[in-house]
Amino acid sequence: GQQLNQSPQSMFIQEGEDVSMNCTSSSIFNTWLWYKQDPGEGPVLLIALYKAGELTSNGRLTAQFGITRKDSFLNISASIPSDVGIYFCAGDPSNYGGATNKLIFGTGTLLAVQP
Amino acid sequence: SQTIHQWPATLVQPVGSPLSLECTVEGTSNPNLYWYRQAAGRGLQLLFYSIGIDQISSEVPQNLSASRPQDRQFILSSKKLLLSDSGFYLCAWSAPMGATEAFFGQGTRLTVV
């Protein structure tokens, strides 16, 4: 099945550092979403992006919808221990401009924060 | 407000046994519904999605099937489980008229032994 390429695969950082991760696709997406998953639980939505070039913040999190509609990035500023988890990008692939009703996920970025 | 319920939370089943996982959504009508599987390697693989009753799209050929007998009920089934069916299964819903934000259930950890 189709998947989005997400990088890096994992990050090990010190508390207080900033984090950046990105997601790319070979095809155009209508929507980009960013999720966080804690162990043994379902992913939780962090940020949703709907327009090319859109930049949206949610507290210490900032995400952008790439101009080409084929990529997105997520930044976390001043990381704290509770930021630990797996971060996923997700997108609704375009079907000649219309929605496909599918939601495709990236391969995930594992974030570890050392106090 | 909308809620999604998925059960059971954990399941251990022998190879060759049948499977039925259920997911229900409350507080919305005609949602898009999804089944994902997450293997130990972390990625979420879309298995099935549905835009309405009895309208199921399969993304990956496999040993599983899905059904949507009611508007807010989505069922994942298998007639005979394989070892490779082990994983973390997640149900999700999104608003109708195109996939936007999807909201997930708590997941079912399936171990086939």
Side-chain angles (χ1 to χ4, degrees), chain A residues 16-37:
Chain A
E17 291 184 21
D18 296 343
V19 171
S20 183
M21 59 191 79
N22 65 70
C23 200
T24 60
S25 171
S26 57
S27 56
I28 291 172
F29 276 65
N30 289 328
T31 305
W32 286 96
L33 309 172
W34 284 93
Y35 288 83
K36 182 193 176 195
Q37 185 180 28

Side-chain angles (χ1 to χ4, degrees), chain B residues 71-105:
Chain B
D71 181 44
R72 290 168 290 176
Q73 183 186 28
F74 206 24
I75 298 172
L76 183 68
S77 303
S78 173
K79 292 182 179 178
K80 288 186 178 182
L81 283 169
L82 306 172
L83 286 174
S84 58
D85 291 324
S86 294
F88 192 49
Y89 289 84
L90 289 156
C91 181
W93 74 272
S94 67
M97 306 302 291
T100 52
E101 299 100 330
F103 301 93
F104 285 82

Side-chain angles (χ1 to χ4, degrees), chain A residues 6 8-12 21 37 83-87 107-112, chain B residues 42:
Chain A
Q6 193 170 340
Q9 282 191 322
S10 58
M11 303 181 72
F12 299 89
M21 59 191 79
Q37 185 180 28
D83 290 334
V84 166
I86 302 176
Y87 290 80
T107 46
T109 295
L110 173 65
L111 178 63
Chain B
R42 301 202 312 256

Side-chain angles (χ1 to χ4, degrees), chain B residues 15-51:
Chain B
V15 169
S17 64
L19 172 73
S20 180
L21 302 181
E22 189 162 344
C23 174
T24 59
V25 180
E26 297 176 357
T28 186
S29 296
N30 196 30
N32 295 328
L33 295 173
Y34 308 86
W35 279 111
Y36 289 87
R37 177 168 58 201
Q38 187 174 31
R42 301 202 312 256
L44 275 75
Q45 181 184 37
L46 179 61
L47 302 177
F48 302 95
Y49 68 98
S50 170
I51 62 172

